[in-house]
Amino acid sequence: MMIVGIGLALIAGSLVGLQNIFNSKVNEQAGSWSTTTLVLGLGFLASVIIGVLFEGKQLFVLDNMKMWYWFSGVIGIGVVTCNVQAIKLLGPTFAISIILTSQLVFALLWDSLGWLGLEKVPFSFKQLVGVLVIVGGVFVFKWSERMGNESQRTVYKQSRKNVIAEK
Amino acid sequence: MKGSLFAFLGGAFITLQGVANSRISQDIGTWQTATITQLTGFIAALTVLLFLRNKGWKKFGEVKPLYLIGGGFGALVIFGNIMAIHFVGVTLTVSAMLIAQLTLTFLIDSNGWFGMEKKKMKLPQFIGIAMMIAGVIILRF
């Protein structure tokens, strides 16, 4: 189960990477809200198709729904708003480093507290060290990327100046 | 400061999304969760979009068709995310997803795939990825 779980996470993560690149190309032309709407709409369609293939009519049996389940999708609005604003204000390198770090910190918090009735993974010193090493890796990676692209940095600064000038 | 707060909340929301989906799937099933969460997200995003003056969707035609279908991956991402959280917990799932995501982006950038500007990769970037993998090994053993 351990290997299956990590394997699934690796596949999901790769698809997120690919999706980010595709979506950023749509974003350049159509803006973030049109892109988000398209992305979620297609994700919904794909889920319905795959769901019906695997489960047939069972997909539409929703006996144990609780009220808040209908609103879980709205979290996505928070994700898009915060991330778009963060990248606009901080630039991609710094923003993405903080976003990834925060994701990991909350993951650790969630596992240790077992909120929402998920299985608790007891907090240990080892886990904290693991997360800190990963966060260190994220910063080394993101910052070396930025150092390697001085020209892009200039372009970013320039476009940022333009944005400020437009305001 | 405002930017950092947005980034911090943005990361928190991403994790929350995975956790909420994982919780909901215990009650209604995995594909049901992927379907509902994206349907309600779609409706919410469409609502925001309708209030914007500059909608931008007319520009979809100017994007290469391949790039428009990225959203379809969302079904598999949510499925993988939910199952992984059930199997190995949130921390390990998020860590493995980040490593795969950054490594793939790195490969695409260094090879210039999908019309991305080719970037030269340097030693510190390999060190960064190695550190992230080392971190996951520490988490696990």
Side-chain angles (χ1 to χ4, degrees), chain A residues 25 34 69 102 111 116, chain B residues 8 23 27 32 55 91 114:
Chain A
K25 306 245 180 191
S34 287
Y69 296 176
S102 157
D111 268 340
L116 290 179
Chain B
F8 181 73
R23 174 67 190 84
D27 277 353
Q32 287 80 351
K55 297 195 170 43
T91 309
F114 302 116

Side-chain angles (χ1 to χ4, degrees), chain A:
Chain A
M1 282 301 109
M2 178 63 62
I3 299 292
V4 179
I6 293 181
L8 282 168
L10 290 175
I11 294 171
S14 310
L15 287 172
V16 172
L18 200 57
Q19 205 183 29
N20 283 346
I21 288 183
F22 286 14
N23 293 353
S24 73
K25 306 245 180 191
V26 184
N27 205 16
E28 280 166 23
Q29 303 288 339
S32 57
W33 287 105
S34 287
T35 308
T36 309
T37 308
L38 175 76
V39 166
L40 290 169
L42 285 178
F44 161 67
L45 275 183
S47 303
V48 170
I49 293 167
I50 303 174
V52 166
L53 282 179
F54 281 123
E55 308 203 352
K57 278 184 198 152
Q58 195 61 35
L59 183 72
F60 305 103
V61 179
L62 301 170
D63 287 336
N64 298 313
M65 276 303 274
K66 291 193 181 115
M67 193 58 187
W68 73 268
Y69 296 176
W70 290 110
F71 297 96
S72 64
V74 182
I75 302 170
I77 304 298
V79 173
V80 178
T81 314
C82 290
N83 293 352
V84 168
Q85 289 302 319
I87 290 173
K88 217 180 259 173
L89 292 166
L90 300 175
T93 307
F94 194 31
I96 292 170
S97 305
I98 297 181
I99 292 166
L100 298 185
T101 304
S102 157
Q103 253 178 282
L104 282 165
V105 168
F106 276 94
L108 189 59
L109 200 64
W110 221 286
D111 268 340
S112 350
L113 297 173
W115 284 337
L116 290 179
L118 285 186
E119 205 181 319
K120 238 184 190 175
V121 180
F123 178 82
S124 64
F125 184 65
K126 193 184 71 178
Q127 273 193 309
L128 181 65
V129 174
V131 166
L132 287 178
V133 172
I134 298 172
V135 168
V138 167
F139 273 78
V140 170
F141 183 88
K142 279 287 156 196
W143 249 266
S144 54
E145 194 177 63
R146 173 165 164 166
M147 296 307 160
N149 292 290
E150 283 300 324
S151 59
Q152 277 198 329
R153 205 167 142 195
T154 325
V155 170
Y156 169 69
K157 272 190 181 157
Q158 196 55 50
S159 66
R160 198 170 159 172
K161 265 184 207 151
N162 292 343
V163 169
I164 293 166
E166 276 168 28
K167 280 179 189 163

